[in-house]
Amino acid sequence: NNANKKLKHHRNQDSDDFDGNPEAWASLDKNFKQVQSVLDRNRMLIQQVNDNHQSKNPDNMVKNVALIQELNGNISKVVSLYSDMSSNFSTSFHNNGHHKEG
């Protein structure tokens, strides 16, 4: 698939950076999959909120409160996952002795 080709191409260009640390790549890949899963869930929740809103049905409007609360929680999850990825990437990068200034 195209994304994998781009990833391999990028890794070949920067082979001195993150290569030799398959655990870091696996962790990054796992985190990206988690983020994608949460974003897919959010897309579905937003569609449901819109449908409920357009229905003008009072019960559906009440359901939107819980849906929007879940959306807010999911946004926090995504922020946390990206923060973890950044921290893990930085740690792996520095631990491998490949840190470059500038």
Side-chain angles (χ1 to χ4, degrees):
N1 106 9
N2 246 358
N4 285 342
K5 284 180 189 170
K6 283 183 184 174
L7 184 61
K8 284 179 185 169
H9 177 70
H10 180 72
R11 285 182 64 186
N12 288 340
Q13 285 181 329
D14 298 320
S15 60
D16 61 333
D17 293 348
F18 223 40
D19 261 2
N21 195 341
E23 298 85 10
W25 279 109
S27 176
L28 206 58
D29 187 56
K30 181 181 158 210
N31 282 343
F32 274 121
K33 284 177 179 165
Q34 284 181 282
V35 166
Q36 190 59 57
S37 174
V38 176
L39 294 177
D40 289 343
R41 172 72 180 160
N42 281 0
R43 185 179 301 113
M44 190 276 299
L45 288 169
I46 290 166
Q47 185 60 56
Q48 188 62 55
V49 166
N50 285 335
D51 292 347
N52 286 348
H53 184 73
Q54 288 170 5
S55 77
K56 309 281 194 231
N57 178 314
D59 289 340
N60 288 346
M61 302 296 253
V62 169
K63 287 176 189 172
N64 274 358
V65 174
L67 295 176
I68 291 168
Q69 285 172 338
E70 184 179 345
L71 268 169
N72 283 333
N74 286 349
I75 290 166
S76 294
K77 271 187 214 170
V78 169
V79 169
S80 178
L81 284 165
Y82 273 122
S83 176
D84 288 349
M85 276 191 276
S86 175
S87 174
N88 291 342
F89 184 89
S90 180
T91 299
S92 296
F93 198 64
H94 288 142
N95 286 348
N96 281 337
H98 294 306
H99 178 65
K100 295 176 187 158
E101 294 297 326

